[in-house]
Amino acid sequence: MEHIHHSQQLAQPISWWQSILQYFSEADFMPHGHCYLWKPGLVYTHVISDFLIGTAYVAISFTLYGLVKKTNLGFNRVVLCFGVFIGACGWTHYNEIWNLWQSDYWYSGMVKVLTAIASVATGIYLFKLRHPIVAMASAAKLSEQRRLDLESLTRDLESKIEERSAAHRESEARFRQLADSMTQLAWVTEPDGYIFWYNKRWFEYTGTDLEEMLGDGWQKVHHPDHVSRVLNFLKEAWKKPEPWELTFPLRSASGEYRWFLTRAVPLTNSQGEIVQWFGTNTDIDEQIKIRQKLEKSQYDLQQALKARDEFLSIASHELKTPLTSLKIQFQLLDREGRKGNQEIYSKGKVDHSTEKALRLVSRLDRLIEDMLDVARIRTGKLTVHKERINVTSLVKDVIERMQDTFLSHTGDKIDFQVEDDCFAAVDPMRMEQVLTNLLQNSLKYGSGKKVQVALKSDGHSLTISINDQGIGIPPELQDKIFHAFERGVNANEVSGLGLGLFISQQIVKDHNGKIWVDSEMGKGSTFHVQFPK
Ligand code: ADP
């Protein structure tokens, strides 16, 4: 509202711009407060209201500016116009206050023009934008609806996941309970074979704990002789989606290794991919031991049958040789007797034949006696009757009895060094048997060289040593030759049943003594017999 109070003023001619300035000059107007008759109540009602309205407009326009900037909306034309419109509205109200005392009506009119332009422009733009705004509003509504839908869907999904994982946790707990109650050891692995869970039995048996097993505990439970075999097998087994089985020993908490049959099955998901392996170890130690025993006794049986057959063939050969000689001897006598050859009855011939026959018979007797001794040893019936005797005399007697044979075979008598009067509790017959056997061996395997015998007494024991310079015994046979039927030579080279040393060892053992050999191939052997006094 304008109140223009014209007061005529006459003046000299003026320039056009001066007239424009004059036209806009405030001199012609009186301040707006006059209209309110300077009634303070009314003036201040306007002042306060205009100030508040103006400030609110300015605040709104600033807020709009901030919002547009913050929401990245962009200052498009309608926003700009609206902002200017609101700002200008505020400005207009401040001008109202100003014009109460000052009469700048042209100036406030210009501001109103600006407000008018901005408001009209806003109105036009808003009208033009009505469709996009409606579309935007409905899109916003739709997107809000979608957001709500999505939220409820997410809630549904979350509760389903929670339900599923609760069910999963429950079934896993049940599985572990089941696996813990098994008598077997059990474990679960990652798809690559890394074991991350063991049942209680595993820890009870191995004496380990989870922390140890997740570290290098597995090295402790595997047998060092089997660990590389197991690892090589597993490297391949984890690659194939097939169940597998392997037998290997595992160390118990007490340090004992027991055999286990290990089985593992792959657990797959709906796509058929392996997600875990479930494995068990079943203690089969008893079965393995029974099987090993069975195999061993089967092997022993086969060996025994083989040895029996070999023995039968050797024994028959050994018995046959002196028997054939005897037979030939008697056939010769018989033939010569029939021919009436009186010479065979002569003293010299009879003695010769008798001696030869007796030698053959005693050889037969010794062979049969050896076989009987083996049978006695097997049935535990070989007995020794110990009596305290002078062992020195016994050794000397045996040597004396064999000197002729040695002389004829080696060209030398047995050389002996025996301590005087060594007494001990022995079975004289059996001890003689041992010495005879050892001396006969030194003759058989002594390459016709000198044989030496020594008897030594030290502290509580007596040691008889028989040394030859013969073929010697290879180191790998030095223990074996004391077993029954074991021979170090070919049956065709030197006759024998391979029983002498076996029987001798048994006799020496029955005297609480021991027998052993020191030997070097090609240089000779020394057999030692040691027994307590
Ligand atoms: P046998 O003489 O009938 O074979 P033994 O039990 O007396 O049976 O001897 C077993 C084996 O020990 C012999 O076959 C022989 O190979 C070896 N042996 C025994 N004594 C000697 C020795 N003095 N020198 C070399 N080898 C020997």
Side-chain angles (χ1 to χ4, degrees):
M1 183 166 45
E2 274 182 36
H3 303 269
I4 303 167
H5 309 271
H6 299 280
S7 59
Q8 286 288 332
Q9 209 178 41
L10 288 173
Q12 290 109 26
I14 49 169
S15 66
W16 64 271
W17 56 273
Q18 273 175 324
S19 67
I20 289 176
L21 271 181
Q22 216 170 33
Y23 185 75
F24 287 107
S25 140
E26 58 187 85
D28 298 344
F29 314 111
M30 61 173 134
H32 211 164
H34 286 286
C35 297
Y36 304 144
L37 301 179
W38 295 112
K39 281 206 165 161
L42 187 60
V43 168
Y44 284 105
T45 303
H46 279 270
V47 168
I48 291 166
S49 308
D50 279 325
F51 178 75
L52 287 179
I53 295 166
T55 307
Y57 275 130
V58 170
I60 288 169
S61 78
F62 274 111
T63 310
L64 189 72
Y65 174 79
L67 274 177
V68 168
K69 236 185 135 181
K70 205 163 187 177
T71 55
N72 280 337
L73 256 179
F75 293 95
N76 53 35
R77 275 176 289 187
V78 66
V79 173
L80 215 61
C81 289
F82 186 64
V84 171
F85 165 51
I86 298 288
C89 280
W91 195 357
T92 311
H93 281 274
Y94 289 138
N95 285 343
E96 290 293 322
I97 301 168
W98 177 257
N99 281 337
L100 283 172
W101 290 277
Q102 306 293 327
S103 44
D104 289 332
Y105 297 124
W106 280 111
Y107 148 71
S108 61
M110 286 307 132
V111 174
K112 273 194 185 166
V113 170
L114 180 70
T115 313
I117 293 168
S119 66
V120 169
T122 307
I124 291 167
Y125 283 131
L126 208 60
F127 183 75
K128 275 191 179 168
L129 285 174
R130 67 193 184 285
H131 293 302
I133 286 172
V134 169
M136 210 157 84
S138 58
K141 210 167 139 190
L142 196 70
S143 84
E144 176 63 9
Q145 187 54 46
R146 290 214 176 121
R147 191 183 65 78
L148 291 175
D149 288 352
L150 209 67
E151 251 178 25
S152 93
L153 216 66
T154 312
R155 272 197 302 277
D156 277 2
L157 215 63
E158 272 170 0
S159 75
K160 265 189 194 135
I161 289 172
E162 183 47 39
E163 263 171 40
R164 290 251 170 96
S165 46
H168 181 73
R169 276 199 298 275
E170 203 179 310
S171 83
E172 199 160 289
R174 256 207 303 273
F175 159 77
R176 287 183 183 194
Q177 217 174 5
L178 198 76
D180 269 340
S181 66
M182 284 165 60
T183 53
Q184 288 148 305
L185 321 189
W187 35 265
V188 183
T189 81
E190 302 280 10
D192 62 358
Y194 176 76
I195 307 182
F196 63 87
W197 184 84
Y198 296 84
N199 72 347
K200 276 195 193 131
R201 264 298 288 145
W202 173 279
F203 297 124
E204 278 166 14
Y205 174 75
T206 58
T208 56
D209 57 24
L210 185 63
E211 198 185 332
E212 196 177 359
M213 286 313 301
L214 295 181
D216 56 2
W218 62 273
Q219 284 179 342
K220 197 174 119 184
V221 299
H222 281 279
H223 194 290
D225 295 351
H226 295 267
V227 71
S228 66
R229 171 176 70 93
V230 174
L231 285 182
N232 285 340
F233 175 89
L234 291 180
K235 217 161 47 183
E236 295 307 312
W238 300 129
K239 289 183 194 160
K240 287 175 273 174
E242 290 156 18
W244 55 260
E245 269 186 24
L246 190 65
T247 307
F248 51 83
L250 287 173
R251 192 176 190 273
S252 75
S254 63
E256 175 204 10
Y257 282 98
R258 293 181 70 83
W259 282 88
F260 282 84
L261 170 68
T262 299
R263 283 202 173 108
V265 283
L267 309 175
T268 52
N269 61 14
S270 52
Q271 279 94 54
E273 296 158 341
I274 299 177
V275 284
Q276 282 175 350
W277 286 85
F278 176 65
T280 56
N281 311 91
T282 312
D283 190 331
I284 51 160
D285 203 62
E286 289 304 318
Q287 290 96 307
I288 290 271
K289 286 203 176 123
I290 289 170
R291 200 174 71 193
Q292 279 171 350
K293 262 191 212 150
L294 218 69
E295 278 168 6
K296 169 92 175 52
S297 57
Q298 246 166 12
Y299 176 78
D300 289 350
L301 197 71
Q302 275 169 1
Q303 289 301 102
L305 287 173
K306 205 172 133 199
R308 187 199 63 186
D309 293 344
E310 271 173 23
F311 174 74
L312 282 176
S313 95
I314 295 171
S316 30
H317 174 78
E318 290 292 312
L319 291 170
K320 187 102 179 138
T321 317
L323 262 180
T324 312
S325 297
L326 259 183
K327 198 171 151 192
I328 293 168
Q329 184 87 3
F330 284 118
Q331 278 170 345
L332 199 76
L333 281 175
D334 183 44
R335 202 168 56 226
E336 294 302 314
R338 279 174 203 276
K339 276 192 208 159
N341 184 352
Q342 291 301 312
E343 208 198 324
I344 56 164
Y345 302 114
S346 72
K347 173 99 173 77
K349 281 277 177 192
V350 169
D351 284 353
H352 178 73
S353 307
T354 317
E355 192 201 321
K356 208 171 170 188
L358 275 175
R359 217 174 42 237
L360 290 167
V361 168
S362 78
R363 194 167 146 199
L364 276 172
D365 183 44
R366 210 181 53 243
L367 284 171
I368 291 165
E369 201 49 48
D370 274 358
M371 286 192 249
L372 284 171
D373 275 347
V374 172
R376 285 183 195 119
I377 291 169
R378 296 269 195 237
T379 53
K381 284 181 186 152
L382 184 102
T383 47
V384 291
H385 302 287
K386 288 184 222 171
E387 50 186 279
R388 197 167 163 74
I389 57 153
N390 188 335
V391 180
T392 310
S393 310
L394 184 134
V395 174
K396 277 184 181 169
D397 282 354
V398 175
I399 293 175
E400 266 327 307
R401 225 175 297 140
M402 298 181 80
Q403 284 297 28
D404 286 346
T405 320
F406 270 81
L407 189 62
S408 63
H409 280 80
T410 66
D412 237 328
K413 284 194 169 186
I414 302 169
D415 181 55
F416 65 90
Q417 283 184 334
V418 291
E419 280 185 32
D420 287 337
D421 297 333
C422 293
F423 282 87
V426 294
D427 183 327
M429 296 269 286
R430 289 296 182 191
M431 201 45 82
E432 202 181 303
Q433 188 182 350
V434 172
L435 290 179
T436 310
N437 178 45
L438 293 177
L439 282 169
Q440 272 168 351
N441 278 355
S442 67
L443 200 62
K444 280 198 308 193
Y445 308 106
S447 311
K449 291 187 187 154
K450 201 177 177 75
V451 171
Q452 289 170 305
V453 176
L455 166 65
K456 272 187 207 150
S457 161
D458 61 3
H460 300 291
S461 60
L462 291 181
T463 311
I464 304 168
S465 304
I466 294 143
N467 165 263
D468 66 61
Q469 296 159 39
I471 58 171
I473 303 158
E476 68 276 12
L477 287 183
Q478 288 176 12
D479 281 334
K480 264 181 127 182
I481 51 171
F482 291 97
H483 298 171
F485 311 118
E486 289 289 351
R487 304 203 68 212
V489 290
N490 206 306
N492 306 328
E493 295 170 32
V494 188
S495 70
L497 290 174
L499 293 175
L501 288 179
F502 172 66
I503 296 165
S504 299
Q505 188 186 48
Q506 199 56 48
I507 293 170
V508 174
K509 268 189 189 163
D510 286 346
H511 281 83
N512 303 317
K514 56 179 183 176
I515 181 169
W516 74 99
V517 64
D518 293 325
S519 180
E520 209 176 318
M521 284 300 282
K523 290 205 173 163
S525 316
T526 307
F527 281 86
H528 307 275
V529 175
Q530 191 176 60
F531 49 91
K533 287 182 190 167

